[in-house]
Each structure stands twice: as structure tokens, then as C-alpha cells.
Amino acid sequence: MYIICSDLEGIYTPEIWINVSKHTGIEELRLTTREVNDYNVLMRGRLSILKQHGLKLTDIQKVIRQLKPLQGAREFLDWLRSEYQLIIVSDTFREFADPLMEQLGRPTLLCHHLTTDEEGNITDYNLRQPDAKRKVVEALQNLNYKVIAIGDSYNDISMLRKAEKAILFRPPQNVIDENPDIPYVTSYEELRKIIIATTASEK
Ligand SMILES: [Mg+2]
């Protein structure tokens, strides 16, 4: 029996931090897991930039509330969830994801959470567990599922490598170059086809 573990940003939604960068004009916030492969280095940097600029959680939530899912994402997810069990496994935070999850029909989401102080400053981030994405795949395999993993960035690679079937969706060139054995697709239609083909003999 197959189950699907999919990343969120870059697959169904825009990159949240890139949009925060655009809306706030803070260029340094543009970096994502697409460019920086150490998530802790990336997050420590982001938190210190927010502090420097006095940006609070509500400022970021305001930006996120204006974001829309990627074109065709909701339709694809509705199809996927009508045919398969799906878990979205993300390195975002509960406090950020909610407005986007609502627009996606609230699929199951496993992600991290933030710590804020009484003034609403983000003071820390709490990883759900180390190597959280790969751990989800392992846990599901222990429940006797086979996993199809979908991702686009460095932070997805350990999840993709653990899964029975890995698919990259619209990855940047450096991720393609470093993982030439993982197939990549650029449209939801191709993604649908590869999932159907993978599960043809056993759903
Ligand atoms: Mg992503």
C-alpha cells in the first residue's frame, strides 16, 4: 500500500520567505533551502535579520495571508486526496502555514513551530524532531506503507532517499545536478502520471 509524503513550499505554495523578503524589502531574507543546505544556519540567520529589523510574527503573518497557492495546486491536491492518502511534511511553522493550508483544503500537515515572546517577537524555532522529513517516511514504512516522496529542495533529499519512490517537482538546477538519479517533473500533470504509474500494480 502506497502513501504520499509531500513537501509544501515550491510544490503547492510559493516560498514563504522569498515573499516576506519581497514585501518587506529585506533582501537577505531571500535565501531558502534551495540555496542553503544547512537548515539551522538558514533559520538562525533569518531570526537575527527579523530581530535587526524589528519584524514580529504578526508582520510575517500579514504577508502570508496575501499569498495564494500555486496555480493548479488545489485541483491537484483534491485529485490526489481523492485517490491516495497524503501527508504534507514541511520545514515551515504552524504559525506560518495556516492561511495557505486553509486555501488548500486543509490536508494533513506535519511541521515545526515557533516560540514568541510577550511582544510577539519570534525568539526561537522548535524543530518537531531532527531530520523530521526522513523520520516521517521511516515511521510510515514501519506501519507497512510504501512511500512516494515529493520534494524540490535540499531539505527534501533525505526524505526522498528514504522513500520507495522519489520525485522532484520543479527543482532548481543545482538540486537536479546533484541528484541525477531522481526523476524530476515540472507540471502537476506529469506528477499525476508518475504517481499513477508507480502505484499501478498496488495502491
Ligand atoms: Mg520546498
Side-chain angles (χ1 to χ4, degrees):
M1 175 95 87
Y2 276 99
I3 191 163
I4 296 170
C5 286
S6 172
D7 178 38
L8 176 68
E9 291 171 70
I11 313 293
Y12 310 114
T13 73
E15 292 286 342
I16 290 173
W17 288 98
I18 288 178
N19 281 278
V20 172
S21 166
K22 267 191 215 157
H23 283 74
T24 57
I26 303 170
E27 192 59 28
E28 309 104 282
L29 287 176
R30 281 193 66 81
L31 289 179
T32 68
T33 51
R34 284 169 169 253
E35 294 87 25
V36 181
N37 60 15
D38 187 326
Y39 185 74
N40 287 302
V41 170
L42 186 63
M43 272 311 298
R44 290 279 155 229
R46 285 167 170 170
L47 291 192
S48 86
I49 294 164
L50 292 183
K51 192 174 173 193
Q52 221 174 288
H53 290 265
L55 282 175
K56 299 184 178 196
L57 176 60
T58 50
D59 299 315
I60 298 178
Q61 286 172 327
K62 237 179 262 167
V63 173
I64 296 169
R65 252 180 250 121
Q66 298 170 42
L67 300 183
K68 297 264 167 288
L70 300 180
Q71 175 110 39
R74 174 65 194 259
E75 292 74 14
F76 174 77
L77 276 177
D78 286 349
W79 167 79
L80 190 63
R81 294 171 69 204
S82 72
E83 296 286 329
Y84 302 92
Q85 297 301 314
L86 166 74
I87 298 177
I88 295 186
V89 187
S90 174
D91 276 332
T92 192
F93 304 95
R94 246 177 8 219
E95 294 81 355
F96 288 0
D98 196 63
L100 286 162
M101 297 311 287
E102 191 183 352
Q103 296 180 71
L104 292 171
R106 295 200 178 282
T108 301
L109 170 70
L110 303 181
C111 67
H112 312 304
H113 72 278
L114 296 167
T115 302
T116 51
D117 65 16
E118 53 284 2
E119 274 103 49
N121 300 298
I122 303 170
T123 52
D124 206 356
Y125 65 99
N126 309 282
L127 297 184
R128 199 173 50 74
Q129 65 185 147
D131 205 358
K133 292 196 182 215
R134 184 175 57 86
K135 293 277 173 55
V136 173
V137 175
E138 278 175 0
L140 290 165
Q141 288 168 333
N142 283 335
L143 297 175
N144 210 22
Y145 284 101
K146 289 183 181 175
V147 176
I148 298 175
I150 305 164
D152 70 332
S153 296
Y154 282 120
N155 63 331
D156 299 311
I157 297 301
S158 74
M159 167 175 86
L160 293 171
R161 291 274 167 217
K162 186 72 196 158
E164 276 76 14
K165 177 73 181 177
I167 311 166
L168 284 164
F169 183 77
R170 296 177 186 163
Q173 192 59 44
N174 49 350
V175 173
I176 297 174
D177 292 345
E178 288 166 33
N179 299 277
D181 56 318
I182 302 180
Y184 72 92
V185 297
T186 56
S187 72
Y188 293 120
E189 185 49 30
E190 288 173 280
L191 193 51
R192 199 172 72 88
K193 282 187 183 148
I194 206 166
I195 291 168
I196 290 172
T198 303
T199 58
S201 55
E202 48 173 323
K203 224 166 180 181

